[in-house]
Amino acid sequence: HSRRRKVFQRGKLDVRTTIRRNIPYSGVLLETHWKTKKIDRPKVMAICDVSGSVSQYAKFLLMFLYSLTDVLKNVRAFAFSSNLVEVTQLFDQHDLNDAIDATLKQVGGGSTDYGRSLQTFTDLCLNQIDNRTTVIMLGDARNNYGEPRTELLRQIHARSRQLIWLNPENRSRWGSGDSEMKRYRPYCTWAEPVQSLAQLERFISHLLRNNS
């Protein structure tokens, strides 16, 4: 799905090429040629909340993030609690359990700071985001009543192909307490609750359809 490749569309005969290639055969159609379409390699940047507020979901979200790097080879992975770090190399070099353990040891379980983490992400990556980039947020949007920095999410959304937010909480809890989900929602292409493997499977299918 991520490799740049040619997809043969067997229903569309390339008439001009077919005629030109068969000139040496006195016009007898011994070779047929089909129109092809090049598919650009999509770019995915995925950001995973592993703070204390999602401790019961952290391994589940990281398992999804790790699996995503297997399915789409052009994925950059980030994780954060109060500080955001890139974990792409950890995921590339280690198996699932070791990569998850190393990520949680490095940044897991801390106090959530979405504003600070979004600032770090935009500092690192905003100039690399373009209309081929899908940005995925994995987290509950609970920010300990800190500054949510919605303007940073707006900038990311404006530059990207799509910004998707997967939230492990039920939709009914969005905006309750310290949840900033309702303030972030307007800057998401779409946002969905995700709490099961079946929901993740549907999301992966949607993502691959829209990046192929």
Side-chain angles (χ1 to χ4, degrees), residues 72-123:
L72 294 170
K73 297 303 180 183
N74 195 20
V75 176
R76 291 181 66 183
F78 302 83
F80 73 94
S81 289
S82 57
N83 296 303
L84 179 139
V85 298
E86 183 165 4
V87 294
T88 307
Q89 191 171 16
L90 283 177
F91 283 30
D92 287 342
Q93 294 178 350
H94 300 285
D95 63 19
L96 172 64
N97 291 324
D98 289 343
I100 289 176
D101 289 344
T103 299
L104 291 175
K105 182 178 180 180
Q106 187 173 355
V107 292
S111 178
T112 317
D113 193 334
Y114 273 82
R116 182 178 181 181
S117 298
L118 285 170
Q119 182 66 68
T120 302
F121 179 74
T122 55
D123 289 345

Side-chain angles (χ1 to χ4, degrees), residues 7-24:
V7 176
F8 291 90
Q9 299 177 323
R10 287 296 186 182
K12 297 182 180 179
L13 179 67
D14 189 336
V15 177
R16 292 183 179 180
T17 301
T18 297
I19 293 174
R20 185 169 61 251
R21 295 290 178 83
N22 284 278
I23 289 176

Side-chain angles (χ1 to χ4, degrees), residues 31-187:
E31 298 180 15
T32 54
H33 295 268
W34 305 86
K35 291 182 179 180
T36 62
K37 182 174 70 173
K38 289 183 178 179
I39 299 208
D40 287 332
R41 183 193 298 271
K43 297 192 298 183
V44 175
M45 296 183 180
I47 307 167
C48 186
D49 180 356
V50 293
S51 64
S53 69
V54 292
S55 58
Q56 61 179 321
Y57 299 110
K59 286 190 176 182
F60 174 69
L61 294 175
L62 286 171
M63 185 181 299
F64 164 70
L65 185 57
Y66 186 93
S67 300
L68 192 64
T69 64
D70 275 347
V71 177
L72 294 170
K73 297 303 180 183
N74 195 20
V75 176
R76 291 181 66 183
F78 302 83
F80 73 94
S81 289
S82 57
N83 296 303
L84 179 139
V85 298
E86 183 165 4
V87 294
T88 307
Q89 191 171 16
L90 283 177
F91 283 30
D92 287 342
Q93 294 178 350
H94 300 285
D95 63 19
L96 172 64
N97 291 324
D98 289 343
I100 289 176
D101 289 344
T103 299
L104 291 175
K105 182 178 180 180
Q106 187 173 355
V107 292
S111 178
T112 317
D113 193 334
Y114 273 82
R116 182 178 181 181
S117 298
L118 285 170
Q119 182 66 68
T120 302
F121 179 74
T122 55
D123 289 345
L124 290 173
C125 299
L126 187 63
N127 290 337
Q128 300 167 39
I129 296 174
D130 57 29
N131 60 7
R132 293 188 299 120
T133 307
T134 293
V135 178
I136 303 170
M137 295 291 299
L138 305 167
D140 61 3
R142 293 195 174 273
N143 198 37
N144 291 311
Y145 300 100
E147 176 55 51
R149 303 295 304 276
T150 54
E151 77 279 4
L152 297 175
L153 198 68
R154 183 175 67 245
Q155 292 176 37
I156 296 167
H157 176 262
R159 293 180 64 94
S160 65
R161 176 179 180 178
Q162 57 182 342
L163 194 158
I164 297 167
W165 196 303
L166 302 181
N167 192 317
E169 291 191 336
N170 292 326
R171 199 183 300 272
S172 61
R173 289 179 51 80
W174 293 6
S176 66
D178 64 344
S179 170
E180 300 289 355
M181 194 63 205
K182 287 188 175 179
R183 296 178 68 180
Y184 288 136
R185 178 65 185 88
Y187 307 113

